[in-house]
Amino acid sequence: MIRIGTGHSDHADGFKAAESVAESALRSGLITRPDLVVAFCPGPLDHDAFLQGLQQKVGKSVPIIGGSSIGIITNGYISYRGTPSGAAIIQGDDCTFRVASSSGLDKGETPTGTSLARKLRLNDQDKLLLTFYDSVRRPATPNSPPALNASAPLLEGLTKELNEEIPIVGAGLIGDYAFGATRQF
């Protein structure tokens, strides 16, 4: 059985926002043992404090993935203004979740995808690959526009190495409308 709860907050304090988000998600999903947290917060919010607030509520051993976003959408809430943050907390009694990351996206999307696939070591039991990546390769400066990472070469690197028919879903992370630096959990 899988249970999923969601929560959101507009609090400007990262730690307090995360506590509120986690409490709501745990309550709405009737989660008693969190196995995975998928969380997002806007660029201006203190990401470290947000992560610490989540860990305070779910425990430091629970994997937290996600990162920067410009808005939050849930079944009952949508916002792209202020400091919207949110999370889905998952309890998967019959599921196994594995988390891996790979650096070097700014040096090449395809090799990074290949590296990530090798770290994951997928098997026949795996049913889905959820991927998040930094959309911003280089933030904008007063003298130059931002440079973005492309998803197609990243996916090419993943699929080339996996040789599996596993669905890959996910998103590129953006922290603000000016394409400033992003953060990942």
Side-chain angles (χ1 to χ4, degrees):
M1 177 157 135
I2 296 177
R3 293 180 184 196
I4 302 173
T6 60
H8 67 274
S9 173
D10 283 308
H11 205 291
D13 178 282
F15 191 86
K16 290 179 182 177
E19 284 187 316
S20 175
V21 163
E23 287 170 1
S24 294
L26 290 166
R27 187 175 49 254
S28 74
L30 304 174
I31 308 289
T32 59
R33 190 200 70 252
D35 292 315
L36 180 68
V37 178
V38 182
F40 300 97
C41 65
L45 204 66
D46 183 335
H47 284 59
D48 293 328
F50 188 76
L51 181 61
Q52 290 169 0
L54 290 172
Q55 289 174 329
Q56 175 77 22
K57 292 296 179 182
V58 300
K60 290 191 177 196
S61 65
V62 176
I64 299 172
I65 61 172
S68 300
S69 70
I70 57 172
I72 296 297
I73 300 172
T74 70
N75 284 341
Y77 177 80
I78 183 170
S79 179
Y80 294 96
R81 294 187 179 151
T83 54
S85 58
I89 299 180
I90 304 168
Q91 178 177 321
D93 297 333
D94 302 324
C95 299
T96 302
F97 301 98
R98 286 180 281 138
V99 176
S101 65
S102 190
S103 61
L105 193 60
D106 60 333
K107 295 175 181 57
E109 295 96 331
T110 303
T112 302
T114 301
S115 170
L116 182 58
R118 288 179 182 155
K119 289 179 180 181
L120 287 168
R121 297 182 184 154
L122 298 180
N123 61 53
D124 293 341
Q125 307 302 312
D126 295 317
K127 304 295 182 208
L128 179 71
L129 176 57
L130 177 60
T131 304
F132 297 112
Y133 69 96
D134 290 334
S135 289
V136 180
R137 178 183 298 251
R138 186 186 66 245
T141 68
N143 299 323
S144 66
L148 303 179
N149 290 307
S151 61
L154 177 65
L155 292 171
E156 178 184 321
L158 280 166
T159 57
K160 180 175 73 172
E161 186 65 28
L162 294 176
N163 292 325
E164 300 285 334
E165 294 296 322
I166 188 167
I168 301 172
V169 298
L173 303 179
I174 296 176
D176 59 42
Y177 291 107
F179 295 100
T182 57
R183 292 278 310 271
Q184 281 197 39
F185 304 127

